[in-house]
Coordinates of all heavy atoms in Angstrom, one line a residue:
A25 N -51.5 -358.4 -54.7 CA -51.6 -357.0 -55.0 C -52.9 -356.4 -54.4 O -53.9 -357.1 -54.3 CB -51.7 -356.9 -56.6
T26 N -52.8 -355.2 -54.0 CA -53.9 -354.5 -53.4 C -54.7 -353.7 -54.4 O -54.1 -353.0 -55.2 CB -53.4 -353.5 -52.3 OG1 -52.6 -354.2 -51.4 CG2 -54.5 -352.9 -51.6
K27 N -56.0 -353.9 -54.3 CA -56.8 -353.1 -55.3 C -57.2 -351.8 -54.7 O -57.5 -351.7 -53.5 CB -58.1 -353.9 -55.6 CG -57.9 -355.1 -56.5 CD -59.3 -355.6 -56.9 CE -59.1 -356.7 -58.0 NZ -60.3 -357.1 -58.5
V28 N -57.1 -350.7 -55.5 CA -57.4 -349.4 -55.0 C -58.6 -349.0 -55.8 O -58.7 -349.1 -57.0 CB -56.2 -348.4 -55.3 CG1 -56.6 -347.0 -55.0 CG2 -55.0 -348.8 -54.6
D29 N -59.6 -348.4 -55.0 CA -60.8 -347.9 -55.6 C -60.5 -346.6 -56.2 O -60.6 -345.5 -55.6 CB -61.9 -347.8 -54.6 CG -63.2 -347.4 -55.2 OD1 -63.3 -347.2 -56.4 OD2 -64.2 -347.2 -54.4
L30 N -60.1 -346.6 -57.5 CA -59.7 -345.3 -58.2 C -60.8 -344.3 -58.3 O -60.6 -343.1 -58.1 CB -59.1 -345.7 -59.5 CG -58.4 -344.6 -60.3 CD1 -57.3 -344.0 -59.5 CD2 -57.9 -345.1 -61.6
A31 N -62.0 -344.8 -58.5 CA -63.1 -343.9 -58.7 C -63.4 -343.1 -57.4 O -63.6 -341.9 -57.4 CB -64.4 -344.6 -59.1
S32 N -63.3 -343.8 -56.2 CA -63.5 -343.1 -54.9 C -62.4 -342.1 -54.7 O -62.6 -341.0 -54.2 CB -63.5 -344.2 -53.8 OG -63.5 -343.6 -52.6
Q33 N -61.1 -342.5 -55.0 CA -60.0 -341.6 -54.8 C -60.1 -340.3 -55.7 O -59.9 -339.2 -55.2 CB -58.7 -342.3 -55.1 CG -58.3 -343.4 -54.2 CD -58.0 -342.9 -52.8 OE1 -57.4 -341.8 -52.6 NE2 -58.5 -343.6 -51.8
L34 N -60.5 -340.5 -56.9 CA -60.7 -339.4 -57.8 C -61.9 -338.5 -57.4 O -61.8 -337.2 -57.5 CB -61.0 -339.9 -59.3 CG -59.7 -340.5 -59.9 CD1 -60.1 -341.1 -61.3 CD2 -58.6 -339.5 -60.1
A35 N -62.9 -339.1 -56.8 CA -64.1 -338.3 -56.3 C -63.6 -337.4 -55.2 O -64.0 -336.3 -55.0 CB -65.2 -339.2 -56.0
T36 N -62.8 -338.0 -54.3 CA -62.3 -337.3 -53.1 C -61.4 -336.1 -53.6 O -61.5 -335.0 -53.0 CB -61.5 -338.2 -52.2 OG1 -62.4 -339.3 -51.8 CG2 -61.0 -337.5 -51.0
I37 N -60.6 -336.4 -54.5 CA -59.7 -335.3 -55.0 C -60.5 -334.2 -55.7 O -60.3 -333.0 -55.5 CB -58.6 -335.9 -56.0 CG1 -57.7 -336.8 -55.2 CG2 -57.9 -334.8 -56.8 CD1 -56.7 -337.6 -56.1
S38 N -61.5 -334.6 -56.5 CA -62.4 -333.6 -57.1 C -63.1 -332.7 -56.1 O -63.2 -331.5 -56.3 CB -63.4 -334.3 -58.1 OG -62.7 -334.8 -59.2
A39 N -63.6 -333.4 -55.1 CA -64.3 -332.6 -54.0 C -63.4 -331.6 -53.3 O -63.7 -330.4 -53.1 CB -64.9 -333.6 -53.0
F40 N -62.2 -332.1 -53.0 CA -61.2 -331.2 -52.4 C -60.8 -330.0 -53.4 O -60.7 -328.9 -53.0 CB -59.9 -332.0 -52.1 CG -58.8 -331.2 -51.5 CD1 -58.8 -330.8 -50.2 CD2 -57.7 -330.8 -52.3 CE1 -57.9 -330.0 -49.6 CE2 -56.7 -330.0 -51.7 CZ -56.8 -329.6 -50.4
E41 N -60.6 -330.4 -54.6 CA -60.3 -329.4 -55.6 C -61.4 -328.3 -55.8 O -61.2 -327.1 -55.8 CB -60.1 -330.0 -57.0 CG -59.7 -329.1 -58.1 CD -59.5 -329.7 -59.4 OE1 -59.6 -331.0 -59.5 OE2 -59.2 -329.0 -60.4
A42 N -62.7 -328.8 -55.7 CA -63.8 -327.9 -55.8 C -63.8 -326.9 -54.6 O -64.1 -325.7 -54.8 CB -65.1 -328.6 -55.9
K43 N -63.5 -327.4 -53.4 CA -63.5 -326.6 -52.2 C -62.4 -325.6 -52.3 O -62.5 -324.4 -52.0 CB -63.4 -327.4 -51.0 CG -64.6 -328.1 -50.6 CD -64.4 -328.9 -49.3 CE -65.7 -329.6 -48.9 NZ -65.5 -330.4 -47.6
A44 N -61.2 -326.0 -52.8 CA -60.1 -325.1 -53.0 C -60.3 -324.0 -54.0 O -60.0 -322.9 -53.7 CB -58.8 -326.0 -53.4
V45 N -60.9 -324.4 -55.1 CA -61.3 -323.4 -56.1 C -62.3 -322.3 -55.5 O -62.1 -321.1 -55.7 CB -61.8 -324.0 -57.4 CG1 -62.4 -323.0 -58.3 CG2 -60.7 -324.8 -58.1
A46 N -63.3 -322.8 -54.8 CA -64.3 -321.9 -54.3 C -63.6 -321.0 -53.2 O -63.9 -319.8 -53.2 CB -65.4 -322.7 -53.6
S47 N -62.8 -321.5 -52.4 CA -62.1 -320.7 -51.4 C -61.2 -319.7 -52.1 O -61.1 -318.5 -51.7 CB -61.2 -321.6 -50.5 OG -60.5 -320.9 -49.6
A48 N -60.5 -320.1 -53.2 CA -59.6 -319.1 -53.9 C -60.4 -318.0 -54.6 O -60.1 -316.8 -54.5 CB -58.8 -319.9 -54.9
E49 N -61.6 -318.4 -55.1 CA -62.5 -317.4 -55.8 C -63.0 -316.4 -54.7 O -63.0 -315.2 -55.0 CB -63.6 -318.1 -56.5 CG -63.2 -318.8 -57.7 CD -64.3 -319.6 -58.4 OE1 -65.3 -319.9 -57.7 OE2 -64.1 -320.1 -59.5
L50 N -63.3 -316.8 -53.6 CA -63.8 -315.9 -52.5 C -62.7 -315.0 -52.1 O -62.9 -313.8 -51.9 CB -64.3 -316.8 -51.3 CG -64.7 -316.0 -50.1 CD1 -65.9 -315.1 -50.4 CD2 -65.1 -316.9 -48.9
Y51 N -61.5 -315.6 -51.9 CA -60.3 -314.8 -51.6 C -60.0 -313.7 -52.6 O -59.8 -312.5 -52.2 CB -59.1 -315.7 -51.4 CG -57.8 -314.9 -51.1 CD1 -57.6 -314.5 -49.8 CD2 -56.8 -314.7 -52.0 CE1 -56.5 -313.8 -49.4 CE2 -55.7 -314.0 -51.7 CZ -55.5 -313.5 -50.4 OH -54.4 -312.8 -50.1
V52 N -60.2 -314.0 -53.9 CA -60.0 -313.0 -54.9 C -61.0 -311.9 -54.8 O -60.6 -310.7 -54.9 CB -60.0 -313.7 -56.3 CG1 -60.1 -312.7 -57.5 CG2 -58.8 -314.6 -56.5
K53 N -62.3 -312.3 -54.6 CA -63.3 -311.2 -54.5 C -63.0 -310.3 -53.3 O -63.2 -309.1 -53.4 CB -64.7 -311.9 -54.4 CG -65.2 -312.5 -55.6 CD -66.6 -313.1 -55.5 CE -67.0 -313.8 -56.7 NZ -68.3 -314.4 -56.6
E54 N -62.7 -310.9 -52.2 CA -62.4 -310.1 -51.0 C -61.2 -309.2 -51.2 O -61.2 -308.0 -50.8 CB -62.1 -311.0 -49.8 CG -63.4 -311.7 -49.3 CD -63.1 -312.7 -48.2 OE1 -61.9 -313.1 -47.9 OE2 -64.1 -313.2 -47.6
T55 N -60.1 -309.7 -51.9 CA -58.9 -309.0 -52.1 C -59.2 -307.8 -53.1 O -58.8 -306.7 -52.9 CB -57.8 -309.9 -52.7 OG1 -57.6 -310.9 -51.8 CG2 -56.6 -309.1 -53.0
E56 N -60.1 -308.1 -54.1 CA -60.4 -307.0 -55.1 C -61.2 -305.9 -54.3 O -61.0 -304.7 -54.6 CB -61.2 -307.6 -56.2 CG -60.4 -308.4 -57.2 CD -61.2 -309.1 -58.2 OE1 -62.4 -309.3 -58.1 OE2 -60.6 -309.6 -59.2
A57 N -62.1 -306.3 -53.4 CA -62.9 -305.3 -52.7 C -61.9 -304.5 -51.8 O -62.1 -303.2 -51.7 CB -63.9 -306.0 -51.8
N58 N -61.0 -305.1 -51.1 CA -60.0 -304.4 -50.3 C -59.2 -303.4 -51.2 O -58.9 -302.3 -50.7 CB -59.1 -305.4 -49.6 CG -59.8 -306.1 -48.4 OD1 -60.8 -305.6 -47.9 ND2 -59.3 -307.2 -48.0
L59 N -58.7 -303.9 -52.3 CA -58.0 -303.0 -53.2 C -58.8 -301.8 -53.7 O -58.2 -300.7 -53.7 CB -57.5 -303.8 -54.4 CG -56.3 -304.7 -54.2 CD1 -56.0 -305.6 -55.5 CD2 -55.1 -303.9 -53.8
A60 N -60.1 -302.0 -53.9 CA -60.9 -300.9 -54.3 C -61.0 -299.9 -53.2 O -60.9 -298.7 -53.4 CB -62.3 -301.4 -54.7
D61 N -61.2 -300.4 -52.0 CA -61.2 -299.5 -50.8 C -59.9 -298.7 -50.6 O -59.9 -297.5 -50.4 CB -61.5 -300.2 -49.5 CG -62.9 -300.7 -49.4 OD1 -63.8 -300.2 -50.2 OD2 -63.2 -301.6 -48.6
L62 N -58.8 -299.4 -50.8 CA -57.5 -298.8 -50.7 C -57.2 -297.7 -51.8 O -56.7 -296.7 -51.5 CB -56.4 -299.8 -50.7 CG -56.3 -300.7 -49.4 CD1 -55.3 -301.9 -49.7 CD2 -55.9 -299.9 -48.2
N63 N -57.6 -298.1 -53.0 CA -57.5 -297.1 -54.1 C -58.3 -295.8 -53.8 O -57.9 -294.7 -54.1 CB -57.9 -297.7 -55.4 CG -56.8 -298.7 -55.9 OD1 -55.6 -298.4 -55.7 ND2 -57.2 -299.7 -56.7
E64 N -59.5 -296.0 -53.3 CA -60.4 -294.9 -52.9 C -59.7 -294.0 -51.8 O -59.7 -292.8 -51.9 CB -61.7 -295.3 -52.5 CG -62.7 -294.2 -52.2 CD -64.1 -294.7 -51.7 OE1 -64.4 -295.9 -51.9 OE2 -64.8 -293.9 -51.1
T65 N -59.1 -294.7 -50.8 CA -58.4 -294.0 -49.8 C -57.2 -293.2 -50.3 O -57.0 -292.0 -50.0 CB -58.0 -295.0 -48.7 OG1 -59.1 -295.6 -48.2 CG2 -57.2 -294.3 -47.6
V66 N -56.5 -293.8 -51.2 CA -55.3 -293.1 -51.8 C -55.8 -291.9 -52.6 O -55.2 -290.8 -52.5 CB -54.5 -294.1 -52.7 CG1 -53.5 -293.4 -53.5 CG2 -53.8 -295.2 -51.8
T67 N -56.8 -292.1 -53.4 CA -57.4 -291.0 -54.1 C -57.8 -289.8 -53.2 O -57.5 -288.7 -53.5 CB -58.5 -291.4 -55.0 OG1 -58.1 -292.4 -55.9 CG2 -59.1 -290.3 -55.8
N68 N -58.5 -290.2 -52.1 CA -58.9 -289.1 -51.2 C -57.7 -288.4 -50.6 O -57.7 -287.2 -50.4 CB -59.7 -289.7 -50.0 CG -61.1 -290.1 -50.5 OD1 -61.6 -289.6 -51.5 ND2 -61.8 -291.0 -49.8
I69 N -56.6 -289.2 -50.2 CA -55.4 -288.6 -49.6 C -54.8 -287.7 -50.7 O -54.3 -286.5 -50.3 CB -54.5 -289.7 -49.2 CG1 -55.0 -290.4 -48.0 CG2 -53.1 -289.1 -48.9 CD1 -54.3 -291.6 -47.6
E70 N -54.7 -288.1 -51.9 CA -54.0 -287.3 -53.0 C -54.8 -286.0 -53.2 O -54.2 -285.0 -53.6 CB -53.9 -288.1 -54.2 CG -52.9 -289.2 -54.1 CD -52.9 -290.1 -55.4 OE1 -53.8 -290.1 -56.2 OE2 -51.9 -290.9 -55.5
Q71 N -56.1 -286.0 -53.1 CA -56.9 -284.8 -53.4 C -57.1 -283.9 -52.2 O -57.7 -282.9 -52.3 CB -58.3 -285.3 -53.9 CG -58.2 -286.0 -55.3 CD -59.5 -286.6 -55.8 OE1 -60.5 -286.6 -55.0 NE2 -59.5 -287.0 -57.0
T72 N -56.6 -284.3 -51.0 CA -56.8 -283.5 -49.8 C -55.9 -282.3 -49.8 O -54.8 -282.4 -50.2 CB -56.5 -284.4 -48.6 OG1 -57.4 -285.5 -48.6 CG2 -56.7 -283.6 -47.3
R73 N -56.5 -281.2 -49.4 CA -55.7 -280.0 -49.3 C -54.9 -280.0 -48.1 O -55.3 -280.6 -47.1 CB -56.6 -278.7 -49.3 CG -57.3 -278.4 -50.6 CD -58.0 -277.2 -50.5 NE -59.0 -277.3 -49.5 CZ -59.8 -276.2 -49.1 NH1 -59.6 -275.1 -49.6 NH2 -60.7 -276.4 -48.1
P74 N -53.7 -279.4 -48.1 CA -52.9 -279.3 -46.8 C -53.7 -278.5 -45.8 O -54.5 -277.6 -46.1 CB -51.7 -278.5 -47.2 CG -51.6 -278.6 -48.7 CD -53.0 -278.8 -49.2
V75 N -53.4 -278.8 -44.5 CA -54.1 -278.2 -43.4 C -53.9 -276.7 -43.4 O -54.8 -275.9 -43.1 CB -53.6 -278.8 -42.0 CG1 -54.1 -278.0 -40.9 CG2 -54.0 -280.2 -41.9
T76 N -52.8 -276.2 -43.9 CA -52.5 -274.8 -43.9 C -53.4 -274.0 -44.9 O -53.5 -272.8 -44.9 CB -51.0 -274.6 -44.3 OG1 -50.7 -275.2 -45.6 CG2 -50.0 -275.1 -43.3
Q77 N -54.0 -274.8 -45.8 CA -54.9 -274.1 -46.8 C -56.4 -274.2 -46.4 O -57.3 -273.7 -47.1 CB -54.8 -274.8 -48.2 CG -53.4 -274.5 -48.8 CD -53.3 -275.2 -50.1 OE1 -54.2 -275.8 -50.7 NE2 -52.1 -275.2 -50.7
L78 N -56.7 -274.9 -45.2 CA -58.1 -275.0 -44.8 C -58.5 -273.6 -44.2 O -57.8 -272.9 -43.6 CB -58.2 -276.1 -43.7 CG -58.0 -277.5 -44.2 CD1 -58.1 -278.4 -43.0 CD2 -59.1 -277.9 -45.2
T79 N -59.8 -273.4 -44.4 CA -60.4 -272.2 -43.8 C -61.3 -272.6 -42.6 O -61.6 -273.8 -42.5 CB -61.2 -271.4 -44.8 OG1 -62.3 -272.2 -45.2 CG2 -60.4 -271.0 -46.0
V80 N -61.7 -271.6 -41.9 CA -62.7 -271.9 -40.8 C -64.0 -272.5 -41.4 O -64.5 -273.5 -40.8 CB -63.0 -270.7 -39.9 CG1 -64.1 -270.9 -39.0 CG2 -61.7 -270.2 -39.2
D81 N -64.4 -272.0 -42.5 CA -65.6 -272.5 -43.1 C -65.4 -274.0 -43.5 O -66.4 -274.7 -43.5 CB -66.0 -271.7 -44.4 CG -66.4 -270.3 -44.0 OD1 -66.9 -270.1 -42.9 OD2 -66.3 -269.3 -44.8
D82 N -64.2 -274.3 -44.0 CA -64.0 -275.7 -44.4 C -64.1 -276.7 -43.2 O -64.7 -277.7 -43.2 CB -62.6 -275.9 -45.0 CG -62.4 -275.2 -46.3 OD1 -63.4 -275.1 -47.0 OD2 -61.2 -274.7 -46.5
V83 N -63.6 -276.2 -42.0 CA -63.6 -277.0 -40.8 C -65.1 -277.1 -40.3 O -65.5 -278.2 -40.0 CB -62.7 -276.4 -39.7 CG1 -62.9 -277.2 -38.4 CG2 -61.3 -276.4 -40.2
V84 N -65.8 -276.0 -40.3 CA -67.2 -276.0 -39.9 C -68.1 -276.9 -40.8 O -68.9 -277.7 -40.3 CB -67.8 -274.6 -39.9 CG1 -69.3 -274.6 -39.7 CG2 -67.1 -273.8 -38.7
K85 N -67.8 -276.9 -42.1 CA -68.5 -277.8 -43.0 C -68.2 -279.2 -42.7 O -69.2 -280.1 -42.8 CB -68.1 -277.4 -44.5 CG -68.8 -278.2 -45.5 CD -68.4 -277.8 -46.9 CE -69.1 -278.6 -48.0 NZ -68.7 -278.2 -49.3
A86 N -67.0 -279.6 -42.4 CA -66.7 -281.0 -42.1 C -67.2 -281.4 -40.7 O -67.6 -282.5 -40.5 CB -65.1 -281.1 -42.1
K87 N -67.2 -280.5 -39.7 CA -67.6 -280.8 -38.4 C -68.5 -279.7 -37.8 O -68.0 -278.8 -37.0 CB -66.3 -280.9 -37.5 CG -65.4 -282.1 -37.8 CD -66.0 -283.3 -37.2 CE -65.0 -284.5 -37.2 NZ -65.6 -285.7 -36.7
P88 N -69.7 -279.7 -38.2 CA -70.6 -278.6 -37.8 C -70.8 -278.4 -36.3 O -71.1 -277.4 -35.8 CB -71.9 -278.9 -38.5 CG -71.8 -280.1 -39.2 CD -70.4 -280.6 -39.1
E89 N -70.6 -279.5 -35.6 CA -70.8 -279.5 -34.1 C -69.7 -278.6 -33.4 O -69.9 -278.2 -32.3 CB -70.7 -280.9 -33.5 CG -69.4 -281.6 -33.7 CD -69.2 -282.4 -35.0 OE1 -70.1 -282.2 -35.9 OE2 -68.3 -283.2 -35.1
I90 N -68.7 -278.2 -34.2 CA -67.6 -277.4 -33.6 C -68.2 -276.0 -33.3 O -67.9 -275.4 -32.2 CB -66.4 -277.2 -34.6 CG1 -65.7 -278.5 -34.6 CG2 -65.6 -276.1 -34.2 CD1 -64.5 -278.6 -35.6
V91 N -69.1 -275.5 -34.1 CA -69.7 -274.2 -33.9 C -70.5 -274.2 -32.5 O -70.4 -273.3 -31.7 CB -70.7 -273.8 -35.0 CG1 -71.4 -272.5 -34.7 CG2 -69.9 -273.6 -36.3
T92 N -71.3 -275.2 -32.4 CA -72.1 -275.3 -31.1 C -71.2 -275.4 -29.9 O -71.5 -274.7 -28.9 CB -73.1 -276.6 -31.2 OG1 -73.8 -276.5 -32.4 CG2 -74.0 -276.6 -30.0
R93 N -70.2 -276.2 -30.0 CA -69.3 -276.4 -28.8 C -68.5 -275.1 -28.5 O -68.4 -274.7 -27.4 CB -68.3 -277.6 -29.2 CG -67.3 -277.8 -28.1 CD -67.8 -278.4 -26.9 NE -66.7 -278.7 -25.9 CZ -66.7 -278.2 -24.7 NH1 -67.7 -277.5 -24.2 NH2 -65.7 -278.4 -23.9
T94 N -68.1 -274.4 -29.6 CA -67.4 -273.2 -29.4 C -68.3 -272.1 -28.8 O -67.9 -271.4 -27.8 CB -66.8 -272.7 -30.7 OG1 -66.0 -273.7 -31.3 CG2 -66.0 -271.4 -30.6
E95 N -69.5 -272.0 -29.3 CA -70.5 -271.0 -28.7 C -70.7 -271.3 -27.3 O -70.8 -270.4 -26.4 CB -71.8 -271.1 -29.5 CG -71.7 -270.4 -30.9 CD -72.9 -270.7 -31.8 OE1 -73.8 -271.5 -31.4 OE2 -73.0 -270.0 -32.8
E96 N -70.9 -272.6 -26.9 CA -71.1 -273.0 -25.5 C -69.9 -272.6 -24.6 O -70.1 -272.2 -23.5 CB -71.3 -274.5 -25.5 CG -71.8 -275.1 -24.2 CD -72.0 -276.6 -24.4 OE1 -72.9 -277.0 -25.2 OE2 -71.4 -277.4 -23.7
M97 N -68.7 -272.9 -25.1 CA -67.5 -272.5 -24.4 C -67.4 -271.0 -24.1 O -67.1 -270.6 -23.0 CB -66.2 -273.0 -25.1 CG -66.1 -274.6 -25.1 SD -64.7 -275.1 -26.1 CE -63.3 -274.4 -25.3
V98 N -67.7 -270.2 -25.2 CA -67.6 -268.8 -25.0 C -68.7 -268.3 -24.0 O -68.4 -267.4 -23.2 CB -67.7 -268.1 -26.4 CG1 -67.9 -266.6 -26.2 CG2 -66.5 -268.4 -27.3
K99 N -69.9 -268.8 -24.1 CA -71.0 -268.5 -23.3 C -70.6 -268.7 -21.8 O -70.9 -268.0 -20.9 CB -72.2 -269.3 -23.6 CG -73.4 -268.9 -22.8 CD -74.6 -269.7 -23.4 CE -75.5 -270.2 -22.3 NZ -76.6 -271.0 -22.8
N100 N -69.8 -269.8 -21.6 CA -69.4 -270.2 -20.2 C -68.1 -269.5 -19.8 O -67.6 -269.9 -18.7 CB -69.3 -271.7 -20.1 CG -70.7 -272.4 -20.3 OD1 -71.7 -271.8 -19.9 ND2 -70.7 -273.6 -20.8
G101 N -67.6 -268.7 -20.6 CA -66.3 -268.0 -20.3 C -65.1 -268.9 -20.3 O -64.1 -268.6 -19.7
Q102 N -65.2 -270.0 -21.1 CA -64.1 -271.0 -21.2 C -63.4 -270.7 -22.5 O -64.0 -270.9 -23.6 CB -64.7 -272.4 -21.1 CG -63.6 -273.4 -21.2 CD -64.2 -274.9 -21.2 OE1 -65.4 -275.0 -21.2 NE2 -63.3 -275.8 -21.3
F103 N -62.2 -270.2 -22.4 CA -61.4 -269.8 -23.6 C -60.3 -270.7 -23.9 O -59.4 -270.4 -24.7 CB -61.0 -268.4 -23.5 CG -62.2 -267.4 -23.4 CD1 -62.6 -266.9 -22.2 CD2 -62.9 -267.1 -24.5 CE1 -63.7 -266.1 -22.1 CE2 -64.0 -266.3 -24.5 CZ -64.4 -265.8 -23.2
T104 N -60.2 -271.8 -23.2 CA -59.1 -272.8 -23.4 C -59.8 -274.2 -23.6 O -60.9 -274.4 -23.1 CB -58.1 -272.9 -22.2 OG1 -58.9 -273.3 -21.1 CG2 -57.4 -271.6 -22.0
V105 N -59.1 -275.0 -24.4 CA -59.7 -276.3 -24.7 C -59.1 -277.3 -23.7 O -57.9 -277.4 -23.5 CB -59.3 -276.7 -26.1 CG1 -59.8 -278.1 -26.5 CG2 -59.9 -275.7 -27.1
D106 N -60.0 -278.1 -23.1 CA -59.5 -279.1 -22.1 C -58.5 -280.1 -22.8 O -58.7 -280.5 -23.9 CB -60.7 -280.0 -21.6 CG -61.7 -279.2 -20.8 OD1 -61.2 -278.1 -20.2 OD2 -62.8 -279.6 -20.7
G107 N -57.4 -280.3 -22.1 CA -56.4 -281.2 -22.6 C -55.4 -280.6 -23.6 O -54.4 -281.3 -23.9
Y108 N -55.6 -279.4 -24.0 CA -54.7 -278.8 -25.0 C -53.3 -278.6 -24.4 O -52.3 -279.0 -25.1 CB -55.2 -277.4 -25.4 CG -54.4 -276.7 -26.5 CD1 -54.6 -277.0 -27.8 CD2 -53.4 -275.9 -26.1 CE1 -53.9 -276.4 -28.8 CE2 -52.6 -275.3 -27.1 CZ -52.8 -275.6 -28.4 OH -52.1 -275.0 -29.4
D109 N -53.2 -278.1 -23.2 CA -51.8 -277.9 -22.6 C -51.1 -279.2 -22.4 O -49.9 -279.2 -22.5 CB -52.0 -277.1 -21.3 CG -52.4 -275.7 -21.5 OD1 -52.1 -275.1 -22.6 OD2 -53.0 -275.1 -20.6
E110 N -51.8 -280.3 -22.1 CA -51.2 -281.6 -21.9 C -50.7 -282.1 -23.3 O -49.6 -282.7 -23.3 CB -52.2 -282.6 -21.3 CG -52.5 -282.3 -19.9 CD -53.5 -281.2 -19.7 OE1 -54.3 -280.9 -20.6 OE2 -53.6 -280.6 -18.6
K111 N -51.5 -281.9 -24.3 CA -51.1 -282.4 -25.6 C -50.0 -281.5 -26.3 O -49.1 -282.0 -27.0 CB -52.3 -282.5 -26.5 CG -52.1 -283.2 -27.8 CD -53.4 -283.5 -28.5 CE -53.1 -284.3 -29.8 NZ -54.3 -284.7 -30.4
F112 N -50.1 -280.2 -26.1 CA -49.2 -279.2 -26.7 C -48.6 -278.3 -25.6 O -49.1 -277.2 -25.4 CB -49.9 -278.3 -27.7 CG -50.6 -279.1 -28.8 CD1 -52.0 -279.3 -28.8 CD2 -49.9 -279.7 -29.8 CE1 -52.7 -280.0 -29.7 CE2 -50.6 -280.4 -30.8 CZ -51.9 -280.6 -30.8
P113 N -47.6 -278.8 -24.9 CA -47.1 -278.0 -23.8 C -46.5 -276.7 -24.2 O -46.0 -276.6 -25.4 CB -45.9 -278.9 -23.3 CG -46.0 -280.2 -24.0 CD -46.9 -280.1 -25.1
S114 N -46.6 -275.7 -23.4 CA -46.1 -274.4 -23.7 C -44.5 -274.4 -23.8 O -43.9 -275.1 -23.0 CB -46.5 -273.4 -22.5 OG -45.9 -272.2 -22.8
L115 N -44.0 -273.7 -24.7 CA -42.6 -273.6 -24.9 C -42.0 -272.3 -24.3 O -40.8 -272.1 -24.4 CB -42.2 -273.7 -26.4 CG -42.6 -275.0 -27.1 CD1 -42.3 -274.9 -28.6 CD2 -42.0 -276.2 -26.4
V116 N -42.9 -271.6 -23.6 CA -42.4 -270.3 -23.0 C -41.6 -270.6 -21.7 O -42.0 -271.4 -20.9 CB -43.7 -269.5 -22.6 CG1 -43.2 -268.2 -21.9 CG2 -44.5 -269.1 -23.8
M117 N -40.5 -270.0 -21.7 CA -39.6 -270.2 -20.5 C -40.0 -269.2 -19.4 O -40.1 -268.0 -19.7 CB -38.1 -270.0 -20.9 CG -37.6 -271.0 -21.9 SD -37.4 -272.6 -21.2 CE -35.6 -272.7 -21.2
I118 N -40.2 -269.7 -18.2 CA -40.6 -268.7 -17.1 C -39.4 -268.4 -16.3 O -38.5 -269.1 -16.1 CB -41.6 -269.4 -16.2 CG1 -42.9 -269.6 -17.1 CG2 -41.9 -268.5 -15.0 CD1 -44.0 -270.2 -16.3

């Protein structure tokens, strides 16, 4: 009959179990943090007004650099936005 060092085997199993539990606890914390971020994102989406209800003041408040860029474009006589026609082609038939 072969003798098995039961104490050594149990210690190995306990060490493995401790690592598994620590890993699971870390996973739970990371998952809870991700869920909190997702819940915040969903809340922000739910509270957002439709684009059709935005005013110029709302846009300027969110992106103040738009005023500077627009003033610069008008000063330079540029009344079209680069890339606009490529992104939104004209539907006018010639």
